[in-house]
Amino acid sequence: MSLILLYKIIFILTAFGAGTIAIDVFLRKSDRPKLDMAFGLMSLAFVTWAAGRFGMLQAGDAEDALFWGHFLYNGSILVHILFLHTILIFLELERRVWSKLFLEFFYVLGVFLLSLNNTYFFTGEHLFITAAVPKLNFPFLEVPDFWHNVHLINYFVIPTLALVLMLFAFRRANGQKQKQILLIILASIAGFLGGNSIVPLVYGFSLQPFLLVLVPFYLPILGYAIARHHLLNIKVLTTELLTFALWSFILIRIFVSDNPTEQLVNSSLLTLTIIIGVFLIKSVRNEVRQREKIEKLAKD
C-alpha cells in the first residue's frame, strides 16, 4: 500500500467517523446542550478538514487542489477554537472572566482568518494560501501566505492552553472525573500531534507526516471521554467500535474498488449496515440505560 493511499484512507475514516459522531450528538437527548453543541460543531469542523485534505489528494490539477485547500482551512480554523470552547465547558470554566476573554480573542481571530480564507471563493484572491504544489510524495499541498502564519497561534497556543488547564483540573479532580480528564488529555495529544504533523511539510520541511495515523482515533475517544454516563461501560463501547469498524471497512472498499459494479454493491451494503448499526447502538444504549435505572431504584 502506498503512503498516499494510506493517507486517503485515514482522511476517509476521519471524515466518516467525525460525521457519525456529529449526527449522534445532535440527535440524542442532551442534559448538557452547550457542551454537546460545541462538541458537535467541532466534529463538523473536523469533517470539513478531513474532507478537504482528501480532496487535495484526489485533485486532478493545481486549481482543484487550491479549492480544496481553502475548503479544509475553514475546518482547521474552527476545529481548534471549538476544541478550546468544548474543554472550557467540560471543565466548567467558560463563565470565568479570563475564560471569556480567551474565547472572545480566539473567535474574533477565527472570524478574521475565515474572512481572509473565504475571499478566494468570492473574488479568487489568495490571501491565506497562495498556491498548491507537489511536496515530498504528496501530489499537491498548499503554499502558505503571510496571513497563514497567524493561524499558527491556533496550532500551538490553543493545544498548550487546553493541556495546562486539563492538567490543573486533573490534579484537583478525583474518581470518574479524573479518569475522564486523563482520557481527554491522551486523546487531545494524539489528535493534535497527528493532525498538525502535516504542518512542517506545508512549510517546506521534508518530514513525512506518519502521525496522521493517530487522527481517526481522536474524536471517538474524546467523545467517549466527555460523556457523563457509560464512561467504563464495555458493552456500549464495544458495540460502537465494532459497528464503526464495519462501516469504515466497507467505506474503504468503495474507494479502493475499480469496478463500478463492486462500488455499487459496497455502497448499498454500507447503507444497509449504517441503518442496522444505528438501531443496534440505540438498542444497546437503551438496554444499559434501563439496567442503570433498575439498579438505581434497587439501591433507593
Side-chain angles (χ1 to χ4, degrees):
M1 180 187 294
S2 69
L3 279 175
I4 292 302
L5 178 57
L6 174 63
Y7 293 145
K8 286 181 180 180
I9 291 173
I10 288 170
F11 294 133
I12 291 170
L13 290 177
T14 300
F16 190 72
T20 303
I21 290 171
I23 293 171
D24 178 69
V25 168
F26 289 129
L27 291 182
R28 71 189 179 200
K29 294 180 180 179
S30 175
D31 56 350
R32 299 175 300 171
K34 288 177 65 177
L35 178 62
D36 279 358
M37 178 60 71
F39 182 63
L41 291 174
M42 184 182 73
S43 301
L44 291 178
F46 216 52
V47 172
T48 304
W49 173 81
R53 281 288 171 211
F54 178 80
M56 286 199 81
L57 291 178
Q58 287 285 93
D61 55 51
E63 191 57 39
D64 285 345
L66 198 56
F67 170 88
W68 286 111
H70 285 90
F71 179 84
L72 76 87
Y73 273 105
N74 288 324
S76 178
I77 292 165
L78 288 173
V79 76
H80 287 80
I81 300 168
L82 289 166
F83 166 77
L84 178 62
H85 201 161
T86 300
I87 295 301
L88 289 173
I89 295 173
F90 175 78
L91 297 178
E92 299 178 354
L93 298 173
E94 81 277 12
R95 295 185 179 180
R96 304 284 180 88
V97 174
W98 58 266
S99 176
K100 291 179 179 179
L101 290 175
F102 271 117
L103 284 176
E104 287 176 5
F105 169 78
F106 283 112
Y107 274 116
V108 169
L109 178 63
V111 170
F112 173 69
L113 294 176
L114 288 170
S115 299
L116 292 175
N117 183 54
N118 286 288
T119 299
Y120 167 82
F121 296 109
F122 297 101
T123 67
E125 290 186 78
H126 308 299
L127 301 178
F128 198 74
I129 56 177
T130 58
V133 300
K135 294 185 180 181
L136 210 54
N137 57 332
F138 283 73
F140 295 104
L141 271 182
E142 64 273 21
V143 176
D145 201 339
F146 169 79
W147 291 110
H148 186 282
N149 299 325
V150 180
H151 185 35
L152 294 177
I153 296 173
N154 293 326
Y155 280 133
F156 298 111
V157 175
I158 286 180
T160 303
L161 174 61
L163 179 61
V164 170
L165 292 174
M166 286 188 287
L167 288 174
F168 276 110
F170 177 80
R171 293 182 61 185
R172 295 193 301 268
N174 52 61
Q176 177 175 309
K177 187 77 170 183
Q178 193 173 59
K179 294 175 183 177
Q180 286 176 290
I181 295 172
L182 177 60
L183 202 54
I184 291 172
I185 290 173
L186 295 176
S188 301
I189 291 174
F192 281 101
L193 283 180
N196 292 341
S197 65
I198 201 170
V199 175
L201 187 56
V202 168
Y203 276 89
F205 296 93
S206 297
L207 298 175
Q208 196 69 244
F210 292 118
L211 291 179
L212 283 171
V213 296
L214 299 174
V215 175
F217 302 99
Y218 165 57
L219 269 188
I221 297 175
L222 183 62
Y224 191 68
I226 66 174
R228 177 169 293 175
H229 304 293
H230 315 314
L231 178 65
L232 300 177
N233 192 287
I234 301 301
K235 189 173 184 179
V236 174
L237 177 61
T238 303
T239 303
E240 292 178 345
L241 288 178
L242 289 176
T243 304
F244 175 70
L246 178 60
W247 292 346
S248 301
F249 175 74
I250 299 173
L251 184 66
I252 291 170
R253 284 183 59 85
I254 293 173
F255 282 94
V256 299
S257 298
D258 296 324
N259 188 329
T261 302
E262 188 177 347
Q263 288 180 331
L264 179 61
V265 171
N266 285 323
S267 298
S268 302
L269 182 60
L270 178 61
T271 302
L272 179 62
T273 54
I274 287 176
I275 295 172
I276 295 173
V278 168
F279 280 107
L280 176 63
I281 291 171
K282 285 186 175 181
S283 175
V284 173
R285 285 182 177 178
N286 288 333
E287 179 189 338
V288 171
R289 194 176 295 115
Q290 290 298 322
R291 189 171 69 244
E292 287 182 345
K293 287 182 180 179
I294 293 172
E295 290 174 355
K296 187 175 184 300
L297 287 173
K299 288 180 180 179
D300 293 340

